[in-house]
Amino acid sequence: LGCASSRPAVDDAARRQMLTLLMPSRIKIVQPFTRIKSFDADPTPDGIELLLQAVNSLDNPGLMIAGHVRIELYEYVKASGDQKGRRLESWNVDLTDEQHQRTYWNQLTQMYEFRVGVDPTTVRPADRYVLVVTYDSPLGERLTDEYVIRSPQGGGPMGGSSSDG
């Protein structure tokens, strides 16, 4: 017969507090690696490469997350308290299964990498856009980060220059 030991019961509040230590407390769009770029052989930008990092309450980066990520692209409004103008595009990414985790997680960088294509009929050329990422966790937490992303010089749906400066 072996010895039996009893562990003290953990109530739901204590369990949640312990999980909070390791769960993400914020998400971060990784700059300057998040950028507008071309996904094919030509130099014309046709999408956004987004690198996303989750950080826990102990400031440890490189966490994997489960849940849903929404990526939104907005017009940039110059000289405004809220730089977001009209929403131009949005993408929803499911991170609830192993296949999606393997698709978006980069083991080397310990970050998520999303490549989203942009519809040239809905996105006018501009110098800047506002990129917003929202993460919804399975525990009901919602984390958001925002980044003013600059267009590279050149033509194409996202690479044109405007006089907004």
Side-chain angles (χ1 to χ4, degrees):
L1 294 171
C3 296
S5 64
S6 62
R7 289 188 280 170
V10 178
D11 65 0
D12 285 342
R15 183 175 288 124
R16 187 167 180 87
Q17 185 176 357
M18 285 187 282
L19 285 173
T20 301
L21 283 173
L22 302 177
M23 294 293 291
S25 61
R26 64 187 166 97
I27 58 170
K28 185 168 82 171
I29 298 171
V30 180
Q31 306 166 22
F33 301 110
T34 295
R35 61 190 173 201
I36 295 169
K37 68 180 285 184
S38 174
F39 296 133
D40 50 26
D42 68 21
T44 303
D46 50 16
I48 299 170
E49 182 175 57
L50 164 66
L51 274 69
L52 184 68
Q53 190 174 57
V55 179
N56 68 13
S57 62
L58 302 171
D59 282 333
N60 293 322
L63 303 176
M64 291 184 83
I65 56 177
H68 299 277
V69 173
R70 185 176 60 250
I71 304 164
E72 297 171 292
L73 185 68
Y74 291 87
E75 289 179 332
Y76 173 79
V77 178
K78 184 177 154 184
S80 171
D82 183 8
Q83 298 174 329
K84 292 186 310 241
R86 182 176 60 94
R87 187 170 78 175
L88 303 170
E89 291 261 15
S90 84
W91 304 268
N92 292 304
V93 181
D94 180 24
L95 293 175
T96 59
D97 62 35
E98 183 180 343
Q99 179 184 354
H100 288 105
Q101 289 289 339
R102 291 186 186 281
T103 299
Y104 299 110
W105 179 253
N106 183 312
Q107 187 67 34
L108 183 64
T109 63
Q110 299 286 292
M111 292 183 245
Y112 285 93
E113 294 180 7
F114 304 103
R115 289 179 160 206
V116 294
V118 174
D119 181 355
T121 63
T122 60
V123 179
R124 292 189 347 246
D127 287 337
R128 292 179 235 165
Y129 301 92
V130 179
L131 188 64
V132 177
V133 177
T134 303
Y135 163 63
D136 291 315
S137 84
L139 299 177
E141 303 287 326
R142 176 170 279 179
L143 305 173
T144 302
D145 195 18
E146 187 173 306
Y147 173 49
V148 175
I149 189 167
R150 292 186 175 271
S151 290
Q153 296 299 321
M158 301 190 73
S161 60
S162 78
S163 59
D164 291 343

